[in-house]
Amino acid sequence: MSERNPMPCGHGRLDRYEIRLQGQLDESWSDWFEGFTLANESDGTTTLTGPVTDQAALHGLLRRVGNLGVTLISVNVLRSRQP
Amino acid sequence: MAMPVLATKLFIPRLRPGAVPRPRLVERLREGLQSGRKLTLISAPAGFGKTTLLSEWIADAQRRDPGVRVGWLSLDESDNDPSRFLTYLVGALQRADPGIGSEALPLPLPSFEPALTALINDVARSPQEIILVLDDFQLIEEETIRDALVFLLDHLPSNLHLAIASRSDPLLPVARLRAGGELTELRAADLRFTPDEAAAFLNRMVDLELSADDVAALEARTEGWIAGLQLAALSMRERSDVSGFIQGFTGSNRFVIDYLAEEVLQRQPDHVREFLLRTAILDRLSGPLCDAVTGQKGSSEVLESLERGNLFVVSLDDRRHWYRYHHLFADVLRARLLRDRPDRVAHLHSLASEWHERNNLPEDAVTHALAAGDFGRAARVIEGAIPAIRKSRQDATLLRWLTLLPKDVIDRRPVLGVYRAWSSLASGDVEAVEPRLRVAEKALAATTDDGTPAHDSAAGDELRMLPVTIAVYRAAVAQARGDVAGTREQAQRALDLTEPDDHLGRGAAAGFFGLAAWATGDLKAGVRAFGEARTSLRLAGNLADVLGTTLVLADMLVPLGRLREAQRSFEQALQLAAEQGEPPPQSTADLHVGISELLREQGELPTAVEHLAASEALGEHASSHENRHRWFVAMARIRQAEGDFDAALGLLSTAERLYLRGFFPEVRPIAAMKARIWIAQGRLAEALAWVNDQGLSAADDLTYLREFGHITLARLLIAQHWSDLQKGSIHEALGLLNRLLEAAEAGHRVGSANEILVLQALAHAAQGHTPLALQSLERVLVRAEPEGYVRLFTDEGAPMAVLLQAAAARGIAPNYVGRLSRTFVHGEGATIQPIPEALSERELHVLRLLATELSGPQIARELYVSLNTLRTHTRHIFGKLEVNSRPAAVLRAEALGLIQHLV
């Protein structure tokens, strides 16, 4: 991780978020979660990672999570993550 | 195209046969209802059986008390439009009692409060106990609507109970209600199936006996989540290896919904799975609609079999016509569709949009066109729906759509462009209007090489009338800016552009023309223009506006002194309204108020009160919002005429609260009327504070818009003269009145001039100049008699009574003066009786000094007495002469021959 560089790939001011959910969900749900990357972690949780246009978009995404009856564990912002 | 109220949204979901009864929860809800708590809140994520529980509770409540009525509203995202929400709210309550809000609510709503108040009153009048259910409340994000519900909760009638089901806690004052013991609350922890309920549910669904261990394992894995258990049951149905399934499921880490939905979908026949995926994009499903989207026949049968099979299909009516997927299932299906057929999604939305357009459901047609990314199509449908949307005043819906369309799509459609400009006007962003109108105008004018229009707007009335609409909006902008010349110019332009049979356009243009004339005080031109507007509106068949225009006309005829004409036009309008039968058209109640004010002026107080009662009986629905304050003004002036000043002030305060600044100039500010009452009460400091607050002074340039204020100032100056005989204020008053008279005469405002002349007479009398006073009085008497004025004189009280007596003595308008004198209420000196107790020499001396222009302290010095002693003398004099003011005492003394008048 680096604090120096802005986000790559021309995302501009978009913030990246990491959302952790209880349980496992496969990659096929990626489109449903607006192109977020899904990763199943070894502790039985799922991490969704991706860019968010603004707070309204983030809340919309969290609503989608809530609608599926999934338990939300954490939401973290990754402001300047390097690949 | 119409904007229909969808009955499916008001349908009370039936309790599914075979649902697991939940007596422990129903009992808690019943208790909340019986103990009179205001709100029931069921807050839990999707799939916890919120709607099912509400259905069970309602069935139970109605079984116990068949008198309980229910209004049910299933919300969706488009209900964030306040007008639409209110329409459906009224619709839901009407299912409970058809008498509620039965007359059209006046839209648009400047604020929710008046409409809600009317609705709340209707509910309170209803003999029914009503439960109002708002399902899927999490979709409401619009603040106005949440405010409206807070208002409703704060004023909830005792016969109404509100029940809200939501996936997230609503932004309502839940904590306050909870603390006040006014809330019944069920949350996910309450709604989860207990192991017993889970066992009953599974055994009923699966039709086979599961072991206690199996049930416990499923219950634990789903944590009592009902949707999860239901999916599990569907997965086990007709499966040979149930234990194997349970083992696989409970051993998996995958999301319950993900795992189970996959299981359920895999077990469907191919054509059903395909059907589910393709129709996942739909919020509401019907056979014909699904046929169109799937390209197959027989969708009705598929839907019925899905419902029978408990496959998360919810029936939205009793006729097996409309359904929806359970929200949770719809989400899963949509996610699958995106995964499996990402390239088909847009096409499916297009098919759905086409079907909705064909079936006159423009809102869904637009939503699906936008989802398909087909902005051209969306724009075309929106354009076609504009007249209906505007008629139903779903402004917010139109605004939202306009923000979703790319700018260049709107730029190519002048009709949409003009409405985008209008949306700025409606939201108060006056500055944005003109640039947007210019873009639309340019698009309208552009042509291709072969001379055909280069824009995308479809030919039709909207397009043809667009130049008129543009000019009318420009007139509205000018009006909003107070630019009278601009208003006039644009209104004239609109008028020039209208076709002879475009009555609505002509009416609107003439209306703005009239408004401009009104604001400048050229009331004759205003009356002419509004007369034309009324004729055009009548030809356009717009009765409500014809009646509304009558009020405007009367508002201008009164200051012109044409009371008889105003009365005739009210009578004709009431006749017109009566011919419409029931329900009375909007504005009918306002007409009664208008005629009541004229009758009050003519001294017919009982009849005036009758008309106000008639107006009240018609109810608020027969009155338009911007006129609602008038009733209270009219009643205040009646109370004032009866001498009950405090009641009048209270009524005026109510009027102030109800007053809405509309298009009409505020020529008779309510605050000024209050100041006038303060003056009559001797509360001069308060009146002075108002005058200072308004920045009014006797040296101001005079405009019609401030005429009422300036006349009020003249009244204050005269009263100040009497209160402490402040040197000079009477001269200031007379100077102001002279100029006001000149301005009123120049504008042919005979009605204004009448009041000014009355005050001039009183001011002269105050100075002891009776002949001058009588000159002014005679001028006004001659003009006032044919129009039947009474309160113009009698509202002035004793000083006027004495002056009229003097006029009678000199033979001025004897019949009229005699009639006026008789209408003075007792004690105001209608007839001159010899005084019961003679005045002492000292008192006569004081009286002679009172007839001069000397101030109180000056008189005291003249008599070598203290100011207090002088006050004692004057009090005795007033008592013996039975008057309560200095001018009245002087005039009375003159009339009695006690003092000689010095000119």
Side-chain angles (χ1 to χ4, degrees):
Chain A
M1 266 211 247
S2 156
E3 296 295 321
R4 285 175 294 111
N5 292 328
M7 268 179 301
C9 334
H11 278 311
R13 298 200 320 279
L14 296 188
D15 283 337
R16 290 180 72 79
Y17 274 83
E18 183 191 74
I19 300 171
R20 261 170 112 78
L21 309 172
Q22 184 67 55
Q24 296 198 333
L25 202 58
D26 66 47
E27 180 63 28
S28 67
W29 283 78
S30 172
D31 282 339
W32 179 245
F33 289 115
E34 312 281 352
F36 267 53
T37 316
L38 278 83
N40 289 327
E41 312 289 343
S42 53
D43 58 357
T45 62
T46 299
T47 310
L48 293 174
T49 318
V52 164
T53 319
D54 55 19
Q55 286 296 301
L58 176 64
H59 285 285
L61 194 73
L62 293 177
R63 228 176 0 249
R64 289 191 162 209
V65 169
N67 286 353
L68 290 177
V70 171
T71 304
L72 183 63
I73 299 174
S74 69
V75 180
N76 292 311
V77 64
L78 312 169
R79 280 196 194 279
S80 48
R81 189 175 207 175
Q82 287 284 62
Chain B
M1 282 198 198
M3 301 295 274
V5 170
L6 299 169
T8 50
K9 285 170 62 65
L10 306 177
F11 178 71
I12 305 173
R14 297 276 175 268
L15 191 58
R16 199 181 264 282
V20 175
R22 315 197 73 185
R24 70 186 169 97
L25 299 179
V26 170
E27 177 58 34
R28 282 176 63 183
L29 296 178
R30 182 166 59 226
E31 205 182 276
L33 185 63
Q34 276 168 355
S35 57
R37 285 183 208 143
K38 285 183 172 178
L39 176 66
T40 292
L41 173 64
I42 303 184
S43 185
F48 273 98
K50 296 184 291 294
T51 306
T52 308
L53 177 62
L54 282 170
S55 299
E56 188 185 348
W57 167 48
I58 278 173
D60 173 81
Q62 290 189 317
R63 203 166 38 241
R64 283 164 195 274
D65 178 358
V68 169
R69 295 282 182 272
V70 177
W72 185 293
L73 176 52
S74 300
L75 295 161
D76 56 57
E77 269 165 12
S78 10
D79 292 318
N80 282 302
D81 180 331
S83 292
R84 183 186 153 105
F85 176 83
L86 190 69
T87 306
Y88 277 107
L89 186 70
V90 172
L93 285 167
Q94 280 174 346
R95 294 287 171 106
D97 179 348
I100 292 172
S102 54
E103 283 148 50
L105 283 159
L107 299 165
L109 307 159
S111 99
F112 246 122
E113 235 177 88
L116 268 182
T117 307
L119 200 58
I120 289 168
N121 289 338
D122 275 4
V123 172
R125 273 195 293 272
S126 166
Q128 316 289 359
E129 288 290 318
I130 299 172
I131 302 174
L132 174 64
V133 180
L134 302 178
D135 198 8
D136 279 329
F137 193 78
Q138 74 281 350
L139 295 171
I140 296 301
E141 292 173 336
E142 170 61 37
E143 235 168 273
T144 328
I145 297 177
R146 287 199 298 244
D147 290 350
L149 283 168
V150 173
F151 183 84
L152 177 64
L153 281 167
D154 284 345
H155 301 88
L156 202 70
S158 58
N159 60 330
L160 182 64
H161 180 85
L162 188 62
I164 288 179
S166 181
R167 286 190 222 163
S168 52
D169 279 6
L171 291 181
L172 296 173
V174 170
R176 172 155 62 84
L177 292 165
R178 195 184 285 135
E182 312 221 73
L183 176 71
T184 305
E185 194 177 14
L186 292 180
R187 312 191 61 87
D190 306 303
L191 292 166
R192 285 181 204 293
F193 269 164
T194 62
D196 286 347
E197 283 171 330
F201 177 76
L202 289 170
N203 287 324
R204 211 175 278 211
M205 285 270 301
V206 186
D207 230 14
L208 56 89
E209 282 296 319
L210 292 170
S211 73
D213 283 350
D214 284 346
V215 170
L218 287 170
E219 205 266 337
R221 172 73 166 97
T222 58
E223 297 176 64
W225 185 39
I226 299 169
L229 285 164
Q230 187 173 352
L231 281 166
L234 287 169
S235 307
M236 290 185 289
R237 212 180 251 176
E238 290 159 31
R239 190 191 278 267
S240 48
D241 181 18
V242 169
S243 300
F245 163 78
I246 293 174
Q247 233 168 16
F249 174 44
T250 53
S252 159
N253 255 339
R254 280 175 70 193
F255 284 160
V256 172
I257 183 78
D258 193 27
Y259 187 95
L260 292 176
E262 196 66 46
E263 284 287 326
V264 171
L265 281 177
Q266 286 313 320
R267 293 168 57 78
Q268 301 306 317
D270 284 351
H271 78 280
V272 171
R273 196 164 52 240
E274 194 60 27
F275 178 94
L276 290 170
L277 287 180
R278 289 192 187 184
T279 56
I281 58 155
L282 301 170
D283 287 332
R284 276 183 300 274
L285 311 123
S286 75
L289 169 58
C290 292
D291 281 350
V293 171
T294 59
Q296 297 166 357
K297 296 232 177 301
S299 298
S300 297
E301 290 72 33
V302 177
L303 285 167
E304 278 180 43
S305 76
L306 289 175
E307 196 201 9
R308 273 197 309 275
N310 261 335
L311 257 170
F312 290 93
V313 172
V314 181
S315 181
L316 291 178
D317 54 33
D318 278 332
R319 296 172 300 136
R320 301 272 178 277
H321 190 62
W322 283 101
Y323 300 86
R324 68 169 171 82
Y325 289 122
H326 188 278
H327 300 305
L328 190 71
F329 195 58
D331 279 357
V332 174
L333 290 177
R334 284 171 199 172
R336 287 286 181 285
L337 176 68
L338 280 173
R339 181 191 67 184
D340 298 345
R341 312 260 197 292
D343 48 327
R344 297 292 304 277
V345 178
H347 179 62
L348 292 171
H349 278 297
S350 289
L351 292 171
S353 177
E354 278 166 27
W355 185 91
H356 282 107
E357 191 186 359
R358 274 201 309 279
N359 288 276
N360 282 340
L361 293 162
E363 287 189 76
D364 297 276
V366 172
T367 307
H368 283 292
L370 290 170
D374 189 347
F375 297 117
R377 174 185 187 79
R380 183 169 55 72
V381 179
I382 294 171
E383 234 179 47
I386 276 179
I389 294 171
R390 284 169 54 77
K391 209 167 166 188
S392 60
R393 303 293 176 111
Q394 296 193 11
D395 299 354
T397 302
L398 188 53
L399 283 176
R400 187 167 48 82
W401 285 344
L402 288 175
T403 58
L404 292 174
L405 287 177
K407 186 176 167 301
D408 62 305
V409 172
I410 301 180
D411 287 352
R412 280 201 306 275
R413 288 185 175 266
V415 169
L416 279 187
V418 167
Y419 284 106
R420 180 173 54 181
W422 162 81
S423 72
S424 318
L425 189 63
S427 62
D429 185 3
V430 176
E431 296 307 314
V433 180
E434 182 55 33
R436 292 183 162 184
L437 286 177
R438 287 224 184 101
V439 171
E441 232 170 14
K442 218 172 128 195
L444 194 61
T447 49
T448 55
D449 293 340
D450 58 359
T452 54
H455 61 72
D456 293 348
S457 281
D461 284 351
E462 287 285 328
L463 184 67
R464 203 159 42 85
M465 307 298 189
L466 212 54
V468 180
T469 312
I470 291 172
V472 167
Y473 290 164
R474 286 201 169 119
V477 168
Q479 171 75 16
R481 287 195 175 130
D483 169 8
V484 173
T487 311
R488 208 185 286 242
E489 187 190 322
Q490 291 301 333
Q492 185 62 54
R493 186 172 158 70
L495 216 48
D496 294 343
L497 288 168
T498 48
E499 297 166 19
D501 59 343
D502 178 9
H503 301 302
L504 219 52
R506 295 190 79 81
F512 276 107
F513 212 65
L515 284 173
W518 190 0
T520 54
D522 187 355
L523 300 185
K524 281 177 110 170
V527 166
R528 223 170 21 245
F530 271 98
E532 282 167 28
R534 189 168 57 170
T535 308
S536 296
L537 290 165
R538 192 158 46 213
L539 289 169
N542 197 336
L543 182 72
D545 285 341
V546 170
L547 302 183
T549 311
T550 303
L551 280 161
V552 177
L553 269 172
D555 276 348
M556 285 187 275
L557 287 170
V558 168
L560 284 170
R562 286 148 68 175
L563 302 193
R564 304 274 186 214
E565 196 178 334
Q567 189 165 355
R568 270 196 306 278
S569 75
F570 275 134
E571 283 162 359
Q572 283 163 5
L574 277 173
Q575 179 65 33
L576 201 60
E579 284 163 12
Q580 301 304 308
E582 292 294 322
Q586 207 192 330
S587 292
T588 310
D590 302 331
L591 294 173
H592 280 288
V593 174
I595 207 164
S596 163
E597 288 203 83
L598 291 176
L599 290 165
R600 184 204 60 87
E601 176 51 58
Q602 292 164 352
E604 311 278 349
L605 295 192
T607 329
V609 172
E610 276 169 29
H611 275 281
L612 289 185
S615 170
E616 201 176 14
L618 283 169
E620 292 193 338
H621 304 313
S623 157
S624 61
H625 281 289
E626 63 266 27
N627 285 325
R628 201 136 302 161
H629 68 281
R630 283 171 174 258
W631 190 95
F632 293 90
V633 169
M635 190 50 108
R637 301 208 58 205
I638 286 171
R639 292 283 173 256
Q640 186 182 356
E642 291 168 349
D644 190 347
F645 292 140
D646 289 333
L649 283 173
L651 288 158
L652 287 177
S653 295
T654 308
E656 262 180 326
R657 274 203 305 282
L658 293 173
Y659 179 79
L660 295 172
R661 182 93 176 82
F663 273 122
F664 306 137
E666 195 180 5
V667 289
R668 206 174 53 156
I670 298 167
M673 287 189 243
K674 284 171 87 172
R676 288 178 174 208
I677 293 181
W678 289 331
I679 294 168
Q681 287 180 309
R683 291 158 70 178
L684 302 190
E686 282 154 280
L688 184 62
W690 176 80
V691 163
N692 290 337
D693 187 50
Q694 297 294 303
L696 289 169
S697 100
D700 288 337
D701 286 338
L702 303 180
T703 64
Y704 173 57
L705 286 180
R706 303 185 87 191
E707 183 180 69
F708 195 84
H710 278 126
I711 295 178
T712 309
L713 170 60
R715 288 179 175 277
L716 176 63
L717 291 169
I718 296 172
Q720 279 175 334
H721 171 75
W722 288 119
S723 74
D724 57 0
L725 294 161
Q726 191 186 63
K727 202 75 184 149
S729 76
I730 196 74
H731 298 294
E732 236 184 307
L734 278 165
L736 176 59
L737 287 167
N738 272 336
R739 292 200 302 126
L740 280 168
L741 184 62
E742 218 171 278
E745 302 269 358
H748 307 282
R749 295 192 299 274
V750 175
S752 303
N754 285 344
E755 187 186 0
I756 296 164
L757 282 166
V758 160
L759 293 178
Q760 210 175 44
L762 292 172
H764 283 309
Q767 281 191 301
H769 300 159
T770 308
L772 282 177
L774 290 175
Q775 255 178 38
S776 300
L777 187 63
E778 186 169 6
R779 271 177 80 186
V780 56
L781 283 168
V782 171
R783 300 198 299 196
E785 185 172 7
E787 296 292 335
Y789 282 94
V790 171
R791 300 308 309 184
L792 172 66
F793 304 97
T794 50
D795 278 347
E796 303 301 336
M800 180 51 73
V802 176
L803 204 51
L804 283 172
Q805 204 64 45
R810 284 163 181 75
I812 298 170
N815 292 335
Y816 189 30
V817 168
R819 204 160 64 241
L820 289 175
S821 298
R822 281 192 296 279
T823 53
F824 270 96
V825 264
H826 178 74
E828 282 184 337
T831 50
I832 305 291
Q833 301 287 337
I835 52 171
E837 195 184 343
L839 270 69
S840 70
E841 273 309 309
R842 186 66 167 170
E843 283 162 356
L844 281 171
H845 188 187
V846 173
L847 192 57
R848 277 192 287 276
L849 291 169
L850 286 176
T852 67
E853 286 181 51
L854 293 176
S855 70
Q858 286 170 323
I859 295 174
R861 268 200 299 283
E862 184 92 356
L863 295 167
Y864 300 103
V865 297
S866 71
L867 204 51
N868 268 336
T869 309
L870 175 65
R871 288 204 182 113
T872 311
H873 284 309
T874 43
R875 201 166 56 243
H876 288 156
I877 295 166
F878 286 5
K880 287 178 180 176
L881 294 176
E882 295 175 311
V883 296
N884 48 24
S885 73
R886 184 171 166 181
V890 171
L891 287 167
R892 185 89 199 264
E894 272 181 56
L896 289 165
L898 295 174
I899 50 172
Q900 288 297 313
H901 187 64
L902 322 158
V903 179

